[in-house]
Amino acid sequence: MIPLILFVLLGLTILVLFEVRARKEGKVNENENENENENRTDDSGCCGQHLVCERETLLQTNAEIIYYDDEELDALAGIPYETYTPAQADMVREVFRTMQEKDVPGWCRSLQLRNIQLPLDVREEALLIMRERRKQ
């Protein structure tokens, strides 16, 4: 009879230890999420480490493509930016020059969804605009 009672007590002790451990791990995960949120650069929730804000675009479950009056750029889909002709690169630059700064992150995401690459100079300027907008 005593071995049975000891066995039950041992089982209960193990169960309690696992429960305590699970709760501690849950609190650790909550603290990690809070720390992650504190590391964000602004109230919008973007950490600033992505070409396009993760909160606004990368986490969207729909893959809806939004056009910014740039349908002609679809001809560049799948072409590496290094192989663009001067006319093709100028076409991208022209669209970029006519764009409002607030539309740049969404436009970049639209291009990603359409598999269109930005020429290096446009990409650098787009990143600069997005960094500046995050600081505001």
Side-chain angles (χ1 to χ4, degrees):
M1 181 76 169
I2 292 178
L4 181 61
I5 293 173
L6 289 175
F7 183 72
V8 170
L9 286 176
L10 179 63
L12 288 174
T13 303
I14 291 172
L15 183 65
V16 169
L17 289 175
F18 278 114
E19 182 66 27
V20 169
R21 182 175 182 214
R23 288 185 185 194
K24 283 184 180 180
E25 286 178 0
K27 287 182 181 179
V28 169
N29 289 340
E30 288 175 12
N31 290 339
E32 287 175 1
N33 289 339
E34 288 173 10
N35 290 339
E36 183 178 305
N37 290 335
E38 288 173 7
N39 289 334
R40 298 190 189 271
T41 58
D42 61 10
D43 292 336
S44 71
C46 184
C47 66
Q49 300 299 316
H50 305 92
L51 176 62
V52 180
C53 181
E54 190 174 307
R55 181 173 181 254
E56 293 175 5
T57 57
L58 296 179
L59 293 179
Q60 288 182 357
T61 56
N62 64 357
E64 181 182 344
I65 295 173
I66 299 172
Y67 285 89
Y68 292 81
D69 198 23
D70 65 346
E71 292 81 3
E72 68 274 14
L73 298 182
D74 284 341
L76 303 175
I79 300 173
Y81 73 88
E82 300 93 353
T83 62
Y84 287 174
T85 65
Q88 291 171 323
D90 286 341
M91 186 170 53
V92 176
R93 286 184 193 98
E94 181 61 29
V95 172
F96 180 69
R97 280 189 215 117
T98 61
M99 183 161 302
Q100 295 181 10
E101 285 187 2
K102 67 180 176 89
D103 292 332
V104 171
W107 181 63
C108 289
R109 179 61 178 154
S110 173
L111 294 178
Q112 286 177 341
L113 291 171
R114 293 156 52 194
N115 195 23
I116 299 170
Q117 295 183 7
L118 289 173
L120 201 52
D121 60 323
V122 175
R123 183 178 193 279
E124 289 174 2
E125 193 169 344
L127 285 170
L128 180 65
I129 289 171
M130 287 186 276
R131 282 187 200 115
E132 289 298 318
R133 289 191 55 78
R134 287 184 185 128
K135 289 180 183 176
Q136 296 175 351

